[in-house]
Amino acid sequence: MSLAQELTKNKQEFTAHTPMEIQMAMFRQIREQQEAGMVYGRQEGQKAKDFTLKNALGETVNLYDELSKGPVVLTFYRGGWCPFCNSQLKAYQRLLPDIQALGGQLIAVSPQSPDNTLSHQEKAELTFQVLSDSHGLVAAIYNILYDVPDYIQDIMKPMGMDLAEYNATDRWILPIPSTFMIDESGIIRSAYVNPDFMQRLDPESILHELRKL
């Protein structure tokens, strides 16, 4: 099953099994971000912002150090609790040998705490770098961080989902799902930033961009 098919299946299950008030709140958030008139994310041709974050094992990973080894596919996702994110990361894991064959590497970043990152990485059997940006500092410099609206918090808390606790921070923050293709000189060659968290960059588009490098 392709990533597009998996995402469609996830959306169908979401609309079939989620109470209508929750659906309305989620689609409201997507619509508000889409209609805000903002340009989200760093853009194609801009310099990628350097950063250092810890992976699930507590090891530090620096973006520019990784770029010295080859191009980087940098993807930001919401967390292991998000089925759309899980489908995306598993699809990218399947693609990893092809990414590496083209000289590239994959780095995924989410605001979840290192402990939750580790459990998610193990459960999803991800072999690429999965980094913890629990205070959203890196998402912020890539212009994709947002504060989760109160009306979303109000529906998630009764479901036992406290993002502040999950992310080990004092704020409810999330990144807009994004994927940046960064060449070895640190230039962003393509940028995919979509407020609709039910959509993700197709794996074949990643390979297409890597081949251009």
Side-chain angles (χ1 to χ4, degrees):
M1 187 182 297
S2 70
L3 175 58
Q5 291 171 325
E6 288 185 36
L7 294 174
T8 297
K9 180 182 177 183
N10 288 343
K11 186 172 183 178
Q12 291 171 341
E13 291 178 352
F14 173 76
T15 55
H17 303 295
T18 305
M20 185 56 65
E21 62 270 20
I22 296 178
Q23 291 188 46
M24 292 177 63
M26 293 295 186
F27 288 122
R28 173 187 169 187
Q29 177 191 300
I30 292 171
R31 185 175 64 254
E32 288 178 347
Q33 288 183 332
Q34 290 173 331
E35 297 175 354
M38 296 178 61
V39 177
Y40 299 107
R42 295 193 63 74
Q43 302 298 300
E44 181 179 333
Q46 291 184 326
K47 191 79 171 178
K49 296 283 190 178
D50 194 18
F51 62 81
T52 300
L53 292 173
K54 290 186 177 182
N55 64 17
L57 300 176
E59 303 163 335
T60 58
V61 176
N62 175 264
L63 174 63
Y64 277 31
D65 286 347
E66 297 306 305
L67 285 172
S68 70
K69 307 170 188 175
V72 167
V73 181
L74 175 64
T75 192
F76 291 83
Y77 70 103
R78 294 162 13 120
W81 50 269
C82 170
F84 299 92
C85 298
N86 290 332
S87 292
Q88 174 199 10
L89 296 186
K90 289 176 182 177
Y92 288 10
Q93 173 66 40
R94 294 193 294 269
L95 191 73
L96 190 58
D98 295 321
I99 292 175
Q100 293 171 334
L102 290 167
Q105 52 194 319
L106 178 61
I107 296 175
V109 178
S110 86
Q112 59 194 6
S113 69
D115 286 345
N116 283 316
T117 297
L118 181 61
S119 62
H120 178 227
Q121 187 166 15
E122 288 176 330
K123 286 185 288 189
E125 298 181 341
L126 307 176
T127 60
F128 49 86
Q129 291 284 10
V130 183
L131 309 182
S132 176
D133 181 30
S134 60
H135 295 286
L137 299 180
V138 175
I141 63 174
Y142 277 78
N143 193 30
I144 55 172
L145 185 73
Y146 69 93
D147 288 289
V148 178
D150 290 342
Y151 62 84
I152 297 292
Q153 297 186 37
D154 291 342
I155 63 172
M156 292 185 73
K157 287 176 181 175
M159 298 164 60
M161 189 66 220
D162 186 330
L163 283 185
E165 180 179 330
Y166 190 80
N167 296 338
T169 187
D170 57 357
R171 295 169 58 198
W172 278 61
I173 53 173
L174 285 175
I176 295 172
S178 312
T179 300
F180 302 93
M181 307 285 295
I182 308 171
D183 69 18
E184 292 166 282
S185 66
I187 300 299
I188 296 173
R189 299 293 292 270
S190 70
Y192 176 90
V193 184
N194 193 340
D196 184 352
F197 63 83
M198 300 182 184
Q199 304 283 335
R200 303 299 162 103
L201 180 65
D202 185 83
E204 285 303 316
S205 296
I206 293 175
L207 297 182
H208 175 72
E209 291 298 327
L210 277 176
R211 292 188 186 106
K212 288 163 60 177
L213 298 182

